[in-house]
């Protein structure tokens, strides 16, 4: 990884689409903007050219992000961002494909695409912004809404258990899994850089605030209260290993949870088969 | 990235004060009021209470001399409204 250098904050402005009107469509204080800034700074530090990067997204608040980013962009069907991204990566193996997706987009509507992208270990960086709720459509409960939490479809408290996207990705075969929050922005930035440099499927789950719907129904109605609750409830991985499961209830374990550099990558394996067949040999 | 020359910069820094000597005429940050949505995050997260809300809730730099260039405000700004003039 290259040397991390302190940078002026105006690098962000160079990577925004010039014809888009700002400020963005997101609510005041939305965590999506913080993640977008961290992503731009990570790409700038790694020194990628704009033509090398492709941002793919589905539908949702989070998926509005590639609209503002001045890279190759694909704004696709709901939940199918990873399927389209697989096609982009397959056609252009040298392109850095970044999927920006929300919790409902990746885990409910696109749940199958998510686990199969993990299983293939294709070289895509997925940034999953988890705000515990469907924000754009009016605050319905999503697969990551915690048990007991309130939303517009669970007005008496959620009875379902929540998904753990990091555990799901790791079990399905992703080779880089990390979690961060919008409060821990420098850590998130370094994690996105590590994920972009990693060869194989990499997932960065970012816990973000939706104070407009999730916060308002759960007694955290302003962005400051929600961001400070991430500060209080986040536990670094090293400390979490010394804690009991009871102590970890309601906490977010942050850090690089899983990394496997030896795992074989899908495009490389496919190219090997192509090379053998083109030379006239038999595969395997 | 070159290593900072330790001796020369340490002498130039006045004792007990920020080396930039921020004041009302020499502000540490530029705030784009057209992009600011008054979310209050920078005001709440600043460790040295540089900002104060104006009548719209948007931040003004009330105590620029306290700024330590810690980058927390513009790193957490969701609308890229705060731009630091310094590294």
């Amino acid at each position: 990884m290259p040397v991390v250098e302190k940078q002026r904050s105006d690098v962000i402005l160079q990577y925004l689409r010039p014809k888009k009107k700002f400020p963005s469509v997101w609510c005041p204080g939305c965590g999506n903007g913080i993640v977008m800034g961290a992503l731009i700074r990570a790409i700038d530090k790694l020194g990628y050219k704009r033509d090398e990067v492709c941002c793919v997204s589905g539908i949702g608040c989070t998926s509005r992000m590639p609209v503002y980013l001045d890279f190759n962009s694909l704004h696709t069907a709901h939940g199918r961002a990873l399927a389209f991204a697989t096609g982009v990566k397959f056609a252009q193996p040298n392109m850095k494909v970044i999927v920006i997706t929300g919790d409902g987009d990746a885990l409910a509507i696109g749940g199958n695409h998510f686990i199969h992208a993990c299983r293939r270990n294709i070289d895509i960086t997925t940034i999953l912004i988890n705000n515990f709720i469907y924000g754009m459509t009016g605050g319905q409960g999503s697969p990551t809404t915690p048990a007991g939490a309130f939303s517009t479809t669970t007005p008496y408290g959620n009875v379902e258990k929540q998904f753990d996207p990091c555990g799901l990705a790791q079990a399905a075969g992703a080779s880089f899994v990390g979690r961060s929050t919008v409060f821990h922005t420098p850590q998130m930035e370094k994690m996105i850089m590590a994920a972009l440099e990693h060869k194989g499927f990499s997932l960065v789950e970012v816990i973000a605030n939706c104070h407009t719907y999730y916060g308002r129904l759960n007694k955290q109605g302003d962005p400051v209260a929600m961001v400070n609750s991430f500060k209080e409830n986040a536990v670094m991985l090293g400390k979490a290993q010394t804690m009991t499961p009871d102590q970890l209830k309601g906490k977010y374990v942050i850090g690089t949870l899983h990394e496997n550099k030896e795992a074989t990558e899908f495009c490389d394996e496919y190219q090997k088969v192509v090379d053998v067949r083109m030379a006239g040999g038999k595969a395997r | 990235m070159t290593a900072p020359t330790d001796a020369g910069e340490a002498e130039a820094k006045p004792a007990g004060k920020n080396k930039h000597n921020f004041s009302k005429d020499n502000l540490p940050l530029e705030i784009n009021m057209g992009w600011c949505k008054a979310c209050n995050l920078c005001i709440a997260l600043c460790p040295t209470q540089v900002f104060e809300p104006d009548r719209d809730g948007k931040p003004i730099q009330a105590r620029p001399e306290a700024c330590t260039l810690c980058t927390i405000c513009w790193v957490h700004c969701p609308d890229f409204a705060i731009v630091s003039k310094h590294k």
Side-chain angles (χ1 to χ4, degrees):
Chain A
M1 227 163 72
V3 183
V4 178
E5 210 175 328
K6 267 199 172 179
Q7 281 193 333
R8 285 167 62 95
S9 49
D10 52 5
V11 293
I12 292 172
L13 308 180
Q14 298 163 14
Y15 287 88
L16 300 179
R17 265 178 215 269
K19 284 185 181 173
K20 279 285 156 191
K21 278 188 182 151
F22 279 87
S24 55
V25 292
W26 299 313
C27 306
C30 181
N32 289 343
I34 304 175
V35 182
M36 181 167 150
L39 173 65
I40 291 174
R41 286 193 297 274
I43 290 173
D44 187 76
K45 277 178 189 167
L46 290 170
Y48 296 152
K49 288 181 193 140
R50 274 172 221 207
D51 280 350
E52 285 176 356
V53 180
C54 182
C55 289
V56 187
S57 74
I59 301 294
C61 283
T62 310
S63 304
R64 294 288 300 174
M65 201 184 284
V67 175
Y68 297 112
L69 292 171
D70 198 6
F71 302 116
N72 298 305
S73 318
L74 208 53
H75 199 167
T76 68
H78 199 1
R80 273 65 177 154
L82 277 162
F84 283 83
T86 305
V88 173
K89 185 72 196 177
F90 222 32
Q92 300 277 348
N94 294 325
M95 192 167 266
K96 295 280 170 190
V97 183
I98 303 169
V99 173
I100 301 157
T101 180
D103 52 329
D105 195 40
L107 300 172
I109 299 99
N112 247 322
H113 296 298
F114 181 72
I115 55 173
H116 289 290
C118 293
R119 176 176 68 86
R120 289 187 191 114
N121 197 24
I122 186 164
D123 187 15
I124 293 172
T125 303
T126 306
I127 298 170
L128 198 160
I129 302 183
N130 182 359
N131 57 7
F132 312 116
I133 212 155
Y134 286 96
M136 186 176 262
T137 50
Q140 291 85 357
S142 83
T144 53
T145 307
F150 296 95
S151 67
T152 47
T153 48
T154 57
Y156 304 109
N158 188 16
V159 289
E160 298 168 9
K161 285 182 188 123
Q162 74 183 116
F163 245 148
D164 174 10
C166 288
L168 179 70
Q170 192 179 334
S175 51
F176 182 100
V177 178
R179 188 190 279 128
S180 187
T181 78
V182 290
F183 180 80
H184 305 84
T185 315
Q187 184 217 25
M188 185 216 304
E189 204 178 306
K190 281 175 195 160
M191 202 180 282
I192 292 174
M193 283 169 75
L196 284 167
E197 289 286 278
H198 180 80
K199 184 95 177 159
F201 190 87
S202 43
L203 172 78
V204 179
E205 185 199 352
V206 183
I207 309 247
N209 52 322
C210 180
H211 46 278
T212 308
Y213 283 111
Y214 184 77
R216 198 156 48 83
L217 294 166
N218 291 283
K219 297 186 178 170
Q220 288 174 332
D222 70 315
V224 177
M226 277 206 91
V227 171
N228 280 328
S229 80
F230 299 147
K231 178 189 176 186
E232 284 153 18
N233 292 324
V235 185
M236 282 299 291
L237 181 64
K239 196 189 172 193
Q241 282 162 351
T242 64
M243 290 164 76
T244 59
D246 278 348
Q247 287 172 321
L248 281 174
K249 225 173 191 180
K251 305 270 184 194
Y252 317 114
V253 181
I254 60 170
T256 305
L257 306 177
H258 173 68
E259 191 170 7
N260 180 6
K261 287 185 177 168
E262 275 79 51
T264 53
E265 202 263 327
F266 180 62
C267 292
D268 287 354
E269 290 296 298
Y270 194 85
Q271 192 58 45
K272 275 182 203 165
V273 174
V274 171
D275 289 345
V276 169
R277 287 308 234 184
M278 293 296 277
K282 278 187 178 178
R284 304 278 168 193
Chain B
M1 185 180 164
T2 55
T5 50
D6 39 37
E9 285 194 8
E11 279 175 15
K13 192 177 174 182
K17 258 195 152 183
N18 197 305
K19 68 175 177 182
H20 295 289
N21 279 323
F22 293 127
S23 65
K24 299 272 181 195
D25 306 320
N26 179 23
L27 292 171
L29 306 160
E30 285 171 26
I31 301 175
N32 184 347
M33 289 298 183
W35 287 17
C36 178
K37 291 178 189 163
C39 69
N40 216 23
L41 270 176
C42 53
I43 301 172
L45 293 180
C46 179
T48 54
Q49 286 86 40
V50 169
F51 302 106
E52 260 179 23
D54 67 359
R55 60 180 181 178
D56 297 330
K58 297 185 180 183
I60 46 172
Q61 298 171 60
R63 284 175 287 278
E65 66 280 356
C67 181
T68 58
L69 299 175
C70 69
T71 75
I72 284 180
C73 55
W74 59 258
V75 154
H76 285 95
C77 181
D79 295 295
F80 322 121
I82 304 178
V83 174
S84 173
K85 292 178 191 169
H86 302 273
K87 271 204 170 180

